[in-house]
Every structure is written in structure tokens, then in C-alpha cells.
Amino acid sequence: MGVLRLPNGCLDTAPVVAKAPAPPLPLSGRLGLWVAEVDPVTLAPIRAVGTNPDSLFPLASTYKQAVLWAVLRQFDAGTLSPTERFNVTRDNQSLGNYPYDGTSIKDLSLRMIQKSDNTATDILHRRVGLQNVQAVADDLGLCHTRLILPTRDWWVAQSGLSATFNGTTRWAAAQGDDRIKLAAQIDADAREYRADYLQRKLNDYFETRYDRDDDLRVHNLSTPYEWGTLLASEFLQPGLSPRAQKWQREVMAQGFGRSALNVQHRGNVAWFGGKGGNGWGILTYSGYVQTKDGRHLVYAFMQHGADQSYTMPNTRRAFAWINAGVDAVLGEKKN
């Protein structure tokens, strides 16, 4: 039996599993965790632990692996070339560092995962089309997962600069054609602003009127269980050609997490792919592990509303909990 779906095609809620061990080190805010060994044929959990597996969390940069998957689908369809090149412009520049002019799609995909480059992400996201990134979730029936907005779009909306977002109450619950239309309008709004101007407005927002509920309205979202299901599909049944899957694995192996896993230090990792993300009070880590003894693991850690505005220092605490979950699933003792 595979993963369970509702009559409308949506993934059902997480199966009843053991509660994840308590975090070994303190973590503040809302927390979610899903760690599962999955069957490589059915993708169903063989053994899993979870905490708040069906709660919605902002994904931050963890969502970027869905952009890569959408890129690879178009590569296989022949509508995109890995050697196609792009320049950084006022129109496409997002926050943070950015690639050199003339960077190829292949190199942009590596920067997106390895360096979490927002501009590289936005260039690729728009190149494949907003809805084609959302389709990565929709095709899997992940009905609570939103992937449609490039990075600059959610920051423009959160800082109050999108007339479309400000003028509607439909966005948070929008689906289908309505979501596609609104996303395109928010994206058009976002492209009107220079990145440095957006950064100033965003700083003002976080310093004077930040509301953590806004994160759930503007960010790309998922639940720990839905994201774990996406990971299982992404790495075990991606529906890609051998060339595209080679590209995927080369890039995703550069994502963060392997060195932080106990199973790596025990010498039991045959292959790893992962991605993390952080934002104001937000931290996310997710990954897929193939062990040398032939098991397939996925994990999705999510933190929202942390006491710390800059959450990267929570990484050690996050992986202490992820490792506790992995150990519980594998039936192994801690080091």
C-alpha cells in the first residue's frame, strides 16, 4: 500500500506514528518534525516519528529544491537548456548575494542549492513559470503546500509593497486558477522595486510592525509530513531521465546537512541530498538519506516564531533533534 489519499486526490493527513523524541536541546517557537524510513516502491512510511506533522510552517529556502525539480522536468521536455544564460537585472535581483552576469542555468541551479542564492532561485523560478513550480506539489496531491512565489515576491508582500496582496483577502486560501492569477499579479508588483529599496522597507517592517502570522500568509508553505512525502518522491521516484537525475543528484548532494547527521559520522551514508532555509524567526532543514545498509530516510524539521530573529545559530539544536528522530526510526542508540 502506498501513501493514502482523500477522494479529492489530496494527500491524507499523516498516519498515526510514534511521537518524535523531545528535542535534546531547547528550541523555541512552534516546532514540527517528520522523520521516516520509506519504502522505495510505494513511498509509504515503514517506520516514522513525528511532532506536529500536519501543521503548516513557512518553508523559507527549503522550497528551492522544488524549483530544481521543475527545471529538470523542463530539461527533459526539451523546453530548457542547461547552457542558457542570464544576467542580473533590476527586474530579477533579489535580496543577498547574486550570481555573475552570464551564468548558465546549470550553474544557477548549483548556486540555488549550495549557496541558497535568492536571485539565482528567482531567475530559475520565473524561467520555468510560477505554476510549474507549484505543480511539483500539486501533482503529488500536496494540497497544503504552496510553492508558487519566488523569494522577492513574498518579501514585497510582507513589507506591504504589493498592491495586489494588500487589496485581497483571498490569497492565503487561494487555489487553482485564482492562485495562479493572484501570484502573477504579486510577481508583477514585486518586479517594480529595486532590491536595495525592498531591503530597507523590509527592515522597517521587521523593526516596527512584524506579525508572525504574516509569515503564513506570504511565504511558501508546507507541513512536515507533506514535505517528507515530496522528498520521498523527489529522490526515489522523480520521473526524470537518467541525465536529469544525474544533474539533480549532483546538485542536491551539495545542500547542507550531511555533515550534521550522526549516521554520516557512523559511516552509514551511501548518498545524501538536502536543503535548509532560514528567515526572521524561521528555520527549516530537510533531507533524504540512503544508508549503506539499503534503507531510505527522509526528514523535515520546521521552526517558526523562534525567540531568535536570526536562526542559523539554532542549527546545532535543530540537528540534535533531527538526529534523535533518525536514531528512533533506525532503532539505533545515540553516540
Side-chain angles (χ1 to χ4, degrees):
M1 180 183 292
V3 294
L4 298 179
R5 302 192 181 278
L6 300 172
N8 63 1
C10 292
L11 184 72
D12 202 351
T13 54
V16 176
V17 299
K19 186 172 178 58
L25 300 173
L27 286 162
S28 57
R30 292 193 310 120
L31 300 172
L33 184 69
W34 178 259
V35 182
E37 179 187 355
V38 297
D39 185 299
V41 176
T42 67
L43 304 185
I46 297 171
R47 187 177 182 188
V49 296
T51 294
N52 297 324
D54 297 314
S55 295
L56 278 172
F57 291 85
L59 285 170
S61 290
T62 295
Y63 108 94
K64 294 173 181 178
Q65 60 199 294
V67 178
L68 175 63
W69 197 355
V71 165
L72 296 172
R73 286 178 169 186
Q74 293 204 1
F75 169 63
D76 276 347
T79 58
L80 172 153
S81 167
T83 59
E84 188 176 341
R85 297 181 181 276
F86 292 86
N87 293 336
V88 178
T89 65
R90 178 186 185 278
D91 181 67
N92 65 27
Q93 184 183 340
S94 188
L95 302 185
N97 295 327
Y98 49 86
Y100 294 110
D101 284 348
T103 301
S104 70
I105 281 183
K106 181 72 175 290
D107 288 340
L108 288 173
S109 73
L110 181 60
R111 282 191 67 99
M112 175 174 66
I113 300 303
Q114 184 181 43
K115 299 181 181 298
S116 210
D117 188 305
N118 294 316
T119 298
T121 302
D122 286 9
I123 290 171
L124 293 174
H125 194 148
R126 294 191 181 103
R127 170 62 180 83
V128 299
L130 306 190
Q131 178 56 23
N132 287 326
V133 177
Q134 180 63 45
V136 169
D138 294 350
D139 291 349
L140 297 173
L142 308 182
C143 296
H144 298 99
T145 298
R146 183 169 68 221
L147 303 174
I148 200 166
L149 291 183
T151 68
R152 187 163 64 166
D153 294 21
W154 72 60
W155 286 313
V156 162
Q158 191 154 23
S159 58
L161 293 173
S162 170
T164 302
F165 181 80
N166 294 341
T168 183
T169 58
R170 305 197 317 274
W171 170 251
Q175 297 286 330
D177 290 343
D178 190 38
R179 177 164 60 188
I180 294 170
K181 180 180 178 181
L182 288 172
Q185 293 171 345
I186 292 170
D187 187 54
D189 293 343
R191 295 168 79 167
E192 292 296 317
Y193 300 100
R194 284 175 34 151
D196 56 349
Y197 178 77
L198 169 59
Q199 184 68 73
R200 291 196 300 272
K201 290 294 185 181
L202 199 60
N203 290 343
D204 176 69
Y205 164 81
F206 282 123
E207 290 168 4
T208 63
R209 61 186 192 281
Y210 170 59
D211 180 350
R212 69 179 57 172
D213 289 340
D214 287 346
D215 297 331
L216 298 175
R217 287 189 281 269
V218 304
H219 276 266
N220 292 330
L221 305 168
S222 192
T223 71
Y225 174 57
E226 286 201 357
W227 200 247
T229 302
L230 183 143
L231 293 170
S233 298
E234 174 187 358
F235 292 108
L236 289 169
Q237 295 181 17
L240 299 173
S241 68
R243 285 201 310 157
Q245 194 161 10
K246 180 175 182 290
W247 178 352
Q248 179 196 45
R249 290 205 158 216
E250 286 175 352
V251 170
M252 288 304 302
Q254 302 302 311
F256 181 81
R258 180 168 184 158
S259 64
L261 292 170
N262 287 344
V263 285
Q264 166 68 18
H265 298 296
R266 295 178 187 134
N268 192 23
V269 175
W271 193 83
F272 168 86
K275 185 73 186 81
N278 69 290
W280 189 279
I282 298 167
L283 188 65
T284 56
Y285 285 109
S286 68
Y288 161 78
V289 179
Q290 180 179 345
T291 65
K292 290 182 178 178
D293 54 3
R295 302 169 79 173
H296 303 271
L297 304 173
V298 295
Y299 64 84
F301 161 86
M302 299 179 183
Q303 180 183 31
H304 179 222
D307 292 343
Q308 304 80 15
S309 57
Y310 181 61
T311 54
M312 287 299 288
N314 291 345
T315 294
R316 183 173 69 91
R317 297 170 181 270
F319 272 92
W321 195 23
I322 292 166
N323 280 317
V326 171
D327 289 344
V329 168
L330 291 179
E332 296 181 354
K333 295 181 180 180
K334 299 178 181 178
N335 286 341

